[in-house]
Amino acid sequence: MKDKVENPFKKIIQEKELPDSLKDKVISDINLIKLSLELSELFLVSIPDVMFNFLETEKEKNKDGISENEEDKESKNDAFTLKND
């Protein structure tokens, strides 16, 4: 025969006070759910958003006709010119 699982809510209603162990379990479960949501948001929303924005920025730079290497050369030349002045 299957053992019946005791319903903790019936026990709460009878005692009208939550046992500390049950309070701790509920808080622990809530914290685990919050952690899971934050991790899923990080990997499924934030990182892809950053990657998309980065790639869009690179695409816009390439459309303007300025490659990354040309920008680096220009900034190095500017720095060299400032040092020599």
Side-chain angles (χ1 to χ4, degrees), residues 50-68 71:
V50 168
M51 292 299 294
F52 177 77
N53 288 336
F54 175 76
L55 293 174
E56 285 295 312
T57 304
E58 290 298 313
K59 190 185 292 184
E60 288 174 9
K61 283 182 184 178
N62 291 337
K63 281 183 181 178
D64 294 339
I66 300 173
S67 69
E68 186 176 328
E71 283 183 354

Side-chain angles (χ1 to χ4, degrees), residues 1 14 20-22 25 27-28 32-34 38 41 47 54 58 61 64-65 69-70 73 75-76 78:
M1 260 196 216
Q14 291 172 358
D20 288 338
S21 62
L22 191 58
K25 172 119 173 72
I27 295 296
S28 175
L32 181 63
I33 291 169
K34 285 173 60 176
E38 288 175 2
E41 180 183 3
I47 291 177
F54 175 76
E58 290 298 313
K61 283 182 184 178
D64 294 339
N69 291 334
E70 290 175 1
K73 287 178 187 175
S75 64
K76 286 178 185 175
D78 291 342

Side-chain angles (χ1 to χ4, degrees), residues 8-40:
F9 293 105
K10 287 183 180 179
K11 186 176 180 182
I12 293 170
I13 292 171
Q14 291 172 358
E15 295 177 3
K16 296 184 182 182
E17 180 68 33
L18 284 172
D20 288 338
S21 62
L22 191 58
K23 287 179 185 179
D24 292 340
K25 172 119 173 72
V26 168
I27 295 296
S28 175
D29 289 347
I30 290 171
N31 287 333
L32 181 63
I33 291 169
K34 285 173 60 176
L35 176 64
S36 300
L37 288 172
E38 288 175 2
L39 285 173
S40 65

